[in-house]
Amino acid sequence: MKKCHWCNEQAAVASVKTGYWELHDGTRAIEIKEIPSMTCMACGMEYHEDEVVEEIEDQLMLIDTKKLSNSMTHEELMGHERFLKRNYFKMS
């Protein structure tokens, strides 16, 4: 178990959840299934850790989002071919 980001209890366990992301160009949102997530057994919060959110955001910046279906798994999203190897616009 890990420390929950919301209640700070040592009660968060790994899970997979569905999430919805608005594309950077604002044209639509997509459903992403089976995203690595956390579920807290103490407070019940379900969330995606920052590293996973950043991974998804970077991938969406680096691929041709016009080719994406409205619904896909996390693995399918991460498997899309990138224009660039990494996000050169990220300043950190």
Side-chain angles (χ1 to χ4, degrees):
M1 288 197 190
K2 291 177 75 173
K3 186 176 182 180
C4 174
H5 289 219
W6 297 93
C7 72
N8 294 319
E9 294 291 326
Q10 285 291 131
V13 295
S15 59
V16 290
K17 300 292 175 194
T18 297
Y20 301 88
W21 253 261
E22 183 175 348
L23 298 181
H24 294 102
D25 62 8
T27 57
R28 62 188 173 114
I30 58 170
E31 176 185 58
I32 306 171
K33 299 180 240 174
E34 301 174 19
I35 303 170
S37 305
M38 299 301 290
T39 300
C40 181
M41 306 312 277
C43 70
M45 184 59 74
E46 299 173 341
Y47 59 94
H48 309 298
E49 292 186 293
D50 293 342
E51 296 81 16
V52 173
V53 172
E54 186 174 317
E55 173 188 52
I56 292 170
E57 291 288 330
D58 281 351
Q59 182 70 350
L60 290 172
M61 288 288 293
L62 299 173
I63 63 174
D64 183 357
T65 57
K66 291 177 178 67
K67 294 181 179 179
L68 295 178
S69 63
N70 290 332
S71 180
M72 73 207 69
T73 66
H74 178 263
E75 186 175 329
E76 290 168 335
L77 172 65
M78 300 314 292
H80 275 270
E81 184 178 356
R82 293 179 170 192
F83 290 133
L84 300 170
K85 291 186 182 200
R86 66 182 195 89
N87 186 351
Y88 295 99
F89 303 105
K90 189 168 31 178
M91 299 300 169
S92 57

